């Protein structure tokens, strides 16, 4: 239950609580272990993607969330509530939404990668093929809906 705006509680406590992660049916133990390993690998690549241009963070976090939801409720709940990764998962679960910030970030990094490929000694077919793939991904990404804007806090 959110606190009234006049409360002396910190702003974090005044926000409405996050919805719980969606439940999933349990799978056999070997499948859960494989999915947990896939979730860990995807999350690792997603974190590396924060620092390495061209390696997509959002896609790997979404894959980690999907695999964790089916293998580890604890990991999935942690991802769901994470300050950086949680919004990506919640937006995707809420109709496949992608934030405008994520769209612009992907556009800038893919553009940078295309420029690097164009001016480097990479074979021309690699630069053209990679740039065409990135353009297709960006076209798809910009067609995704954006999450609804949060209502501003009431004035005191």
């Amino acid at each position: 239950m959110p606190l009234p705006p006049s409360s002396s509680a910190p702003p974090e406590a005044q926000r409405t609580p996050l919805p719980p992660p969606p439940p999933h049916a349990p799978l056999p133990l070997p499948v859960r272990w494989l999915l947990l390993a896939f979730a860990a690998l995807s999350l690792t690549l997603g974190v590396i993607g924060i620092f390495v241009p061209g390696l997509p963070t959002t896609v790997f976090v979404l894959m980690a969330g999907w695999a964790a939801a089916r293998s580890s409720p604890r990991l999935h709940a942690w991802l769901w509530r994470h300050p950086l990764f949680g919004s990506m998962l919640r937006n995707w679960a809420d109709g496949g939404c992608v934030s405008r910030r994520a769209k612009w970030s992907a556009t800038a990094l893919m553009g940078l990668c295309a420029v690097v490929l164009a001016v480097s000694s990479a074979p021309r077919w690699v630069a053209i093929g990679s740039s065409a793939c990135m353009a297709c991904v960006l076209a798809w990404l910009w067609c995704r809906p954006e999450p609804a804007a949060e209502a501003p806090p009431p004035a005191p």
Side-chain angles (χ1 to χ4, degrees):
M1 177 175 184
L3 298 172
S6 61
S7 170
S8 62
E12 300 85 37
Q14 293 181 12
R15 294 187 196 142
T16 56
L18 295 175
H24 292 280
L27 296 171
L29 188 61
V31 174
R32 285 197 323 248
W33 278 105
L34 286 172
L35 285 172
L36 183 60
F38 180 71
L41 175 65
S42 297
L43 184 58
T44 302
L45 290 172
V47 170
I48 292 170
I50 294 171
F51 306 103
V52 176
L55 193 61
T57 299
T58 303
V59 173
F60 285 117
V61 170
L62 291 176
M63 289 191 305
W66 172 84
R70 286 148 183 83
S71 62
S72 171
R74 190 169 124 193
L75 176 59
H76 188 241
W78 179 80
L79 285 170
W80 189 262
R81 291 177 178 88
H82 193 275
L84 179 63
F85 306 131
S87 63
M88 291 181 220
L89 292 175
R90 291 188 303 273
N91 288 340
W92 189 258
D94 188 29
C97 298
V98 178
S99 71
R100 184 164 298 218
R101 180 178 178 199
K103 291 176 182 181
W104 278 114
S105 175
T107 301
L109 290 174
M110 286 189 206
L112 175 66
C113 288
V115 168
V116 167
L117 283 171
V119 299
S120 71
S121 61
R124 212 37 60 203
W125 67 271
V126 170
I128 292 170
S130 298
S131 297
C133 287
M134 287 187 281
C136 291
V137 168
L138 285 176
W140 172 83
L141 185 66
W142 280 95
C143 290
R144 301 300 314 160
E146 294 180 9
E150 291 185 11

